[in-house]
Amino acid sequence: MINVTKTYIPSLDKYSVYLKKIFSDGIITNNGQFLRKLKKELENYLGVKNILLVQNGTLALQIAYKLLELKGNVITTPFTFVATVSSQVWEGLTPKFVDINSETLNLDERLIEKNISHSVSAIVPVHVFGNACEVEYIDKVAKKHGIKVIYDAAHAFGIKYKNKSILNYGDISIMSFHATKIFHTIEGGALVIKDDELYKKACLMINFGIDGLNSINNLGINAKMNELEAAMGLCILDSIDEIIDNRKNVYEYYMNHLKGNIVFQKHNESSSFNYSYFPIILSNEEKVVKLVKALSSENINPRRYFYPSLSTLPYLINKSNVPIADDIAKRVLCLPFYDSIKVEELKTIVDIVNKNV
Ligand SMILES: *Cc1c(COP(=O)(O)O)cnc(C)c1O
């Protein structure tokens, strides 16, 4: 069976070194030594300050909205993983979809400004499949209108824009370290918070709002990452450059061997790329359905990321008109893509794709 992704798992020997220490010290959560170490190492590796590790990317989004005290409508994209949007509804916000660019698959920044009204408190763009948004432009529009920007950078681990971390843009960026992402901590996530005061507030917020032994002044929640998760992250961070290099080779194999009627995502030329997904866009939905069937008959499971378009979510109140996102969602397919996939497996996939598009 070849699935769309395969979780990178470090050697048991390597993980055991951390486990032994955790077991002998007896500290398994609550801002332990490995959590603190992972935070520092991630800040160094990514080139940012104020990383706050949390239990998952969805909670990171929820905490970001709470921290910035968002209200009313939030401009966002219908072409993303559902958590970007469901977290908004969960926090009492109303997503307002703006259509995507059919080539970059990101929120079309040119459509943002005309959708801003006084009921809009923030923009939540997503660097879809690791493709950087036009961050300078988006930040400028937000500043002009006095609204916040939260980037969902769940796919954008290690991405640099003009040679600096993409996570430096917006008021907050969030990351997901779920097992299916290129860097993971089993379950996990993080916020990168530009403002130092807001960062301090967030540190308390993820620990019930407790700010001293006998002192609770603000509303909080429990969103802490534990030591076993942080240890997994430390094991993987050691190998992340190698993992991304291997993925680059897989990416190049696909690009050199896929032929025919396939459109690829257009990447932002001012930014680096992390090879986290391999989306292809076919000319119509029938072709996608036919290809999925042909691949699954060989036990190969691509995924229709992101399908259906989130404009079809039954729990949204706003009606939206996003024809490009609705169309792309029907025609996009993510092929199996992970560092340890074998050349023979890639060859089989490419043969089936080339025959069916
Ligand atoms: C994975 C993902 C999330 C949610 O992260 P979790 O850690 O799974 O909660 C949010 N947004 C996007 C775009 C994602 O891909």
Side-chain angles (χ1 to χ4, degrees):
M1 188 97 98
I2 303 172
N3 291 325
V4 68
T5 190
K6 187 171 174 184
T7 298
Y8 177 89
I9 298 182
S11 78
L12 189 55
D13 282 349
K14 192 169 182 186
Y15 193 52
S16 297
V17 175
Y18 291 95
L19 278 184
K20 279 184 187 139
K21 184 85 178 121
I22 291 168
F23 275 57
S24 68
D25 292 356
I27 293 168
I28 59 177
T29 188
N30 283 10
N31 204 26
Q33 61 173 323
F34 294 132
L35 181 117
R36 297 194 308 270
K37 187 166 156 63
L38 180 62
K39 169 193 155 69
K40 273 219 191 85
E41 291 194 5
L42 279 171
E43 286 176 343
N44 280 338
Y45 180 83
L46 297 169
V48 291
K49 59 170 190 172
N50 296 346
I51 287 187
L52 182 63
L53 295 169
V54 294
Q55 191 53 47
N56 59 61
T58 307
L59 263 169
L61 284 164
Q62 287 172 241
I63 289 160
Y65 308 145
K66 265 274 185 329
L67 258 182
L68 296 171
E69 299 177 25
L70 303 189
K71 287 190 196 68
N73 292 338
V74 170
I75 288 177
T76 192
T77 170
F79 188 71
T80 177
F81 182 59
V82 65
T84 313
V85 170
S86 58
S87 58
Q88 294 164 13
V89 178
W90 197 269
E91 291 300 328
L93 300 164
T94 307
K96 180 170 184 178
F97 289 134
V98 164
D99 214 346
I100 62 170
N101 176 312
S102 63
E103 296 184 321
T104 67
L105 309 185
N106 286 333
L107 183 66
D108 188 340
E109 65 282 350
R110 293 163 304 180
L111 303 178
I112 291 174
E113 196 158 18
K114 63 178 164 210
N115 279 285
I116 296 177
S117 64
H118 36 254
S119 62
V120 170
S121 59
I123 311 168
V124 182
V126 181
H127 306 298
V128 175
F129 303 137
N131 191 27
C133 292
E134 290 300 332
V135 285
E136 284 179 350
Y137 181 89
I138 294 172
D139 281 13
K140 207 164 69 191
V141 170
K143 201 167 177 190
K144 178 173 159 196
H145 292 274
I147 62 177
K148 307 288 184 192
V149 183
I150 297 154
Y151 287 103
D152 181 337
H155 300 172
F157 188 85
I159 296 280
K160 296 231 177 350
Y161 179 85
K162 296 190 176 168
N163 291 322
K164 283 208 175 128
S165 174
I166 191 109
L167 304 167
N168 287 315
Y169 289 86
D171 297 279
I172 297 176
S173 286
I174 74 92
M175 290 183 275
S176 165
F177 302 149
H178 182 257
T180 53
K181 310 292 201 276
I182 49 171
F183 169 81
H184 78 89
T185 58
I186 308 172
E187 292 273 358
L191 296 94
V192 179
I193 302 170
K194 191 174 277 169
D195 181 82
D196 293 338
E197 289 309 309
L198 215 51
Y199 168 75
K200 282 182 203 149
K201 195 171 163 195
C203 293
L204 305 178
M205 191 182 262
I206 68 158
N207 188 32
F208 313 99
I210 296 173
D211 54 13
L213 252 192
N214 300 307
S215 168
I216 305 164
N217 285 304
N218 289 294
L219 180 66
I221 194 168
N222 179 8
K224 302 186 301 287
M225 178 184 282
N226 67 49
E227 286 292 274
L228 286 96
E229 290 167 329
M232 180 62 78
L234 286 166
C235 289
I236 296 172
L237 194 55
D238 278 347
S239 309
I240 193 69
D241 289 337
E242 198 184 310
I243 294 170
I244 292 175
D245 274 354
N246 291 341
R247 283 175 162 275
K248 183 166 186 250
N249 292 335
V250 176
Y251 178 88
E252 279 166 2
Y253 186 96
Y254 273 139
M255 290 308 277
N256 291 333
H257 292 85
L258 287 172
K259 305 223 157 50
N261 230 345
I262 300 172
V263 173
F264 301 101
Q265 182 183 29
K266 187 175 169 203
H267 295 154
N268 191 321
E269 282 169 9
S270 302
S271 82
S272 64
F273 196 59
N274 64 8
Y275 309 97
S276 50
Y277 295 86
F278 200 91
I280 57 173
I281 303 167
L282 304 186
S283 51
N284 59 55
E285 187 173 15
E286 291 70 45
K287 282 197 177 155
V288 173
V289 173
K290 185 174 145 223
L291 176 56
V292 169
K293 215 166 145 196
L295 287 165
S296 46
S297 72
E298 298 291 322
N299 281 325
I300 298 164
N301 299 310
R303 275 293 293 272
R304 295 184 69 182
Y305 282 142
F306 298 103
Y307 173 83
S309 167
L310 297 181
S311 68
T312 64
L313 282 177
Y315 52 76
L316 297 181
I317 353 169
N318 274 359
K319 284 269 161 289
S320 50
N321 180 27
V322 285
I324 297 173
D326 293 350
D327 173 52
I328 292 286
K330 288 183 185 146
R331 299 194 285 122
V332 68
L333 188 68
C334 282
L335 296 181
F337 194 42
Y338 45 89
D339 73 299
S340 59
I341 195 164
K342 298 189 185 74
V343 176
E344 310 86 80
E345 295 172 326
L346 286 171
K347 188 173 180 311
T348 307
I349 295 166
V350 161
D351 286 347
I352 297 172
V353 176
N354 286 342
K355 263 189 222 130
N356 284 278
V357 301

